[in-house]
Amino acid sequence: MASNYNFERKGFTITWIIDNFKYSTLKCRESVRSPTFIVDTIEKTKWNLFLYPTLHYNLEEGFSLGLWRMSDSKGPPRIKIDCECALLTAHGGVDGKYGFREKEVSKNDSVFFDSFTPTCGISADELENFFPNGTLTVRCKMWKCSGEINNDGYCTARTHIGVEKKSSIWSIRNFSTLEKGNELTYRINSTLNDKSIVTLKFSVTGEDETLQVRFISSDSEVESRSFSIKLSVLDSKGDVVTCGEAEFLFGTLVKESKCLLTFTKKDIMRKKSQYLRDDVLRLLYECAFSTGVIYGEIENTNYGWFPPQTAKACLPHLKLAESTATTNPSEPSVLKRNIELMLHESVLCDVKLRTGAETFPAHWFILSAQSPVFRAMFESDMKEKAQDCIHIEDVDADTVRRLLLYMYTDACEDLQWESASQLYAAADKYQILSLKNECSSFLKTNLDAANVCEALMIADLHHDEHLKSASSEFILKHDKKIFNSDEWKRVIRSNGQLAAETMLHKLKD
């Protein structure tokens, strides 16, 4: 339970980052241990942290945490410490998931914390809050119960759980003749050593002819393994239609699992022109499986000061830029670099921009500060606000990416005519005037006979008199070539009034 202990006392803090924690094998009764660390300010004692599986009263699998004093540790045979352990959320907070203990610890003894939330039975949002991108971060603070520590100490340790990802197409031939009771076999081998990991068994089952895939562990050398897979059907156009997903742990007691696909054989046969070519069903699998702990390391240790790396450890996906003196006015400030990192690393994001092909995490405060249109959205009670998601149907993913980059950094990277014209339209839509002006300047300085007609129509559509004037002047300067082009004919067909207005300038001249 929590303590009223004075935590302002000097102590030692270790932050343990576990990459790919979602692929750990805790449910198979295997613990995960941190790299060993030595606390110089607590009698040079040697410790490590470990996570171990716990069976809760409601039969849900969870995990608990332990702080272990090593048998070869220096210091007295018994040492009394206060310690606090917490799971850090994606925002770097503890959100109530913590434990406090006071204990006299012998060598080869430990302090247990068993009050952490089970990993089963919690919502997907809560899971993502504690496992951003599959990473779990644990923080442990230690204090001496007798004597004083002169300097705070900070340590960051990392454990990386190896994950291999594979994808391929399984061509199921003579699909129409596949009968109930017959199974087709496909083996997934590790690229690392070509050993078989899982055997897939495809079959038709039940009265409704449901398609089923069984998964059988075929690696006897590994006691437990985490495995996840997504199954999709490729249609005649090559488009992917997801039809099943599964996630499970193979262990001593679990050697097999299965997944029922959302398609039946009858569904496929009714649309065989769409899904069958030469009577072949193309089943795409995308899987990931654990390969054990690849490495564990102590990344940094500091005494007597609170370094930037400590903030990085609390937010494991954010590498903060450090302040450096510079006389180069074109070099971005530390603030701008860190804001850009928060965008790229999706740190503390609280809103999403969703296009047809991709979703972009962002921060409502930045969007509101840069765009009055976004600000109006967040200030209203619109549907997108309730869902923390804004659907953008008329702007492609690359343009949204460029739009966000500018809002966070004032930068436009590698503009070409097409990307500049699309970004120009998006900037006008969201009333980001400085970006609209920058794109307009790019278009004006890159006018030529092939694109000036497009520029003229863009300027007219978005009421940009400067770009419109520059385009008109270019057309009048090269009137014979432009007026005889196919591009000009398209202007006449789509906007006759604009064409007439431009030619009237020619007559006045």
Side-chain angles (χ1 to χ4, degrees):
M1 63 180 180
S3 169
N4 58 3
Y5 186 79
N6 178 14
F7 291 106
E8 294 182 358
R9 208 169 39 155
K10 303 292 186 182
F12 181 85
T13 301
I14 177 168
T15 303
W16 179 25
I17 303 166
I18 310 173
D19 297 325
N20 294 324
F21 178 78
K22 64 177 293 186
Y23 290 97
S24 68
T25 54
L26 284 182
K27 290 184 180 179
C28 292
R29 301 293 186 263
E30 293 184 359
S31 63
V32 178
R33 290 185 175 270
S34 76
T36 299
F37 56 95
I38 296 174
V39 185
D40 289 349
T41 51
I42 305 182
E43 312 297 341
K44 293 188 178 295
T45 47
K46 183 188 292 188
W47 310 79
N48 69 21
L49 293 167
F50 63 96
L51 288 166
Y52 59 96
T54 304
L55 194 62
H56 290 256
Y57 69 93
N58 57 357
L59 302 183
E60 288 183 332
E61 288 277 12
F63 61 87
S64 296
L65 180 65
L67 173 65
W68 188 274
R69 186 182 179 193
M70 309 298 290
S71 58
D72 60 345
S73 172
K74 292 183 179 180
R78 301 176 66 85
I79 188 167
K80 192 172 184 179
I81 63 169
D82 296 315
C83 57
E84 177 208 63
C85 283
L87 306 183
L88 298 190
T89 68
H91 296 176
V94 299
D95 198 28
K97 276 66 176 183
Y98 66 91
F100 178 83
R101 297 287 185 274
E102 177 183 308
K103 184 177 179 180
E104 192 172 59
V105 187
S106 304
K107 296 181 181 182
N108 204 30
D109 191 10
S110 59
V111 185
F112 289 99
F113 300 87
D114 57 4
S115 58
F116 296 105
T117 301
T119 56
C120 294
I122 63 178
S123 69
D125 290 341
E126 190 173 0
L127 274 174
E128 180 60 26
N129 191 34
F130 280 101
F131 310 113
N133 299 323
T135 297
L136 177 69
T137 303
V138 177
R139 186 189 66 198
C140 179
K141 296 182 177 181
M142 305 167 60
W143 299 269
K144 289 174 64 176
C145 287
S146 60
E148 293 294 330
I149 295 178
N150 294 325
N151 294 314
D152 281 315
Y154 304 95
C155 176
T156 304
R158 184 180 298 271
T159 298
H160 183 83
I161 297 173
V163 176
E164 183 176 337
K165 297 181 179 181
K166 294 198 71 171
S167 61
S168 186
I169 297 174
W170 179 8
S171 296
I172 300 174
R173 305 184 185 281
N174 302 316
F175 176 82
S176 62
T177 63
L178 184 62
E179 298 180 352
K180 297 178 186 178
N182 294 336
E183 285 189 319
L184 302 179
T185 299
Y186 187 95
R187 287 183 174 83
I188 297 178
N189 293 347
S190 170
T191 305
L192 182 66
N193 52 26
D194 200 36
K195 289 184 178 180
S196 179
I197 302 299
V198 174
T199 299
L200 276 57
K201 300 277 189 177
F202 181 89
S203 64
V204 179
T205 183
E207 293 299 323
D208 57 353
E209 295 188 322
T210 298
L211 301 181
Q212 173 184 279
V213 178
R214 291 196 300 134
F215 309 96
I216 302 172
S217 175
S218 52
D219 187 359
S220 59
E221 295 183 7
V222 178
E223 291 186 5
S224 59
R225 188 186 298 279
S226 176
F227 185 87
S228 64
I229 190 166
K230 181 169 76 171
L231 298 165
S232 306
V233 171
L234 296 183
D235 65 14
S236 57
K237 297 180 181 179
D239 293 332
V240 176
V241 183
T242 301
C243 58
E245 294 187 59
E247 193 170 311
F248 36 84
L249 278 161
F250 291 128
T252 305
L253 301 178
V254 180
K255 296 293 185 183
E256 181 177 332
S257 187
K258 67 180 179 180
C259 176
L260 298 179
L261 305 190
T262 56
F263 287 118
T264 66
K265 183 179 179 181
K266 294 176 182 178
D267 293 333
I268 299 294
M269 295 305 298
R270 277 196 297 265
K271 299 180 180 180
K272 60 182 180 181
S273 61
Q274 180 179 353
Y275 295 119
L276 296 180
R277 190 192 323 176
D278 300 327
D279 203 19
V280 176
L281 180 68
R282 293 183 298 164
L283 191 65
L284 169 68
Y285 74 81
E286 300 169 90
C287 70
F289 49 88
S290 59
T291 59
V293 174
I294 298 299
Y295 68 81
E297 63 179 359
I298 299 296
E299 293 189 340
N300 58 73
T301 305
N302 303 276
Y303 288 95
W305 67 299
F306 191 85
Q309 289 84 355
T310 303
K312 168 191 167 184
C314 292
L315 295 172
H317 305 293
L318 176 64
K319 298 180 180 179
L320 296 174
E322 297 181 14
S323 299
T324 54
T326 177
T327 58
N328 185 359
S330 65
E331 183 175 333
S333 68
V334 172
L335 176 61
K336 282 188 175 182
R337 294 203 303 271
N338 284 336
I339 289 176
E340 182 180 2
L341 283 170
M342 291 185 73
L343 171 67
H344 291 321
E345 301 293 343
S346 300
V347 175
L348 305 180
C349 291
D350 48 17
V351 68
K352 296 176 182 177
L353 303 184
R354 180 169 296 164
T355 68
E358 196 169 347
T359 299
F360 299 86
H363 304 83
W364 70 264
F365 181 80
I366 298 294
L367 302 188
S368 298
Q370 295 284 50
S371 164
V373 175
F374 281 125
R375 183 162 62 251
M377 290 182 184
F378 296 125
E379 288 175 349
S380 71
D381 292 325
M382 62 185 298
K383 179 180 178 181
E384 285 86 349
K385 178 182 177 182
Q387 296 178 339
D388 291 330
C389 182
I390 299 174
H391 295 269
I392 301 178
E393 306 293 344
D394 55 347
V395 182
D396 63 36
D398 182 65
T399 302
V400 171
R401 186 179 296 107
R402 293 174 182 273
L403 188 73
L404 283 172
L405 179 65
Y406 183 86
M407 285 195 284
Y408 278 74
T409 68
D410 293 334
C412 292
E413 293 183 349
D414 302 324
L415 282 181
Q416 302 296 324
W417 181 269
E418 182 177 358
S419 59
S421 58
Q422 292 176 353
L423 189 58
Y424 174 93
D428 185 58
K429 175 182 178 180
Y430 294 103
Q431 297 180 26
I432 308 173
L433 299 184
S434 59
L435 176 58
K436 180 183 177 182
N437 291 336
E438 189 160 340
C439 292
S440 179
S441 297
F442 178 91
L443 297 177
K444 283 186 288 188
T445 57
N446 289 276
L447 290 173
D448 60 31
N451 62 36
V452 68
C453 293
E454 179 187 1
L456 181 67
M457 290 191 289
I458 289 174
D460 184 70
L461 177 64
H462 296 284
H463 310 290
D464 187 339
E465 292 302 322
H466 294 291
L467 178 58
K468 187 175 181 179
S469 176
S471 301
S472 297
E473 290 177 8
F474 187 97
I475 291 172
L476 296 180
K477 187 176 180 180
H478 304 86
D479 55 326
K480 291 184 179 180
K481 184 175 182 179
I482 302 298
F483 289 156
N484 290 318
S485 68
D486 292 336
E487 288 79 9
W488 182 252
K489 293 176 183 177
R490 282 194 285 272
V491 175
I492 295 175
R493 287 195 299 269
S494 61
N495 195 334
Q497 182 178 348
L498 178 62
E501 179 183 326
T502 306
M503 296 185 76
L504 183 61
H505 287 303
K506 173 64 177 176
L507 293 177
K508 287 182 178 181
D509 290 344

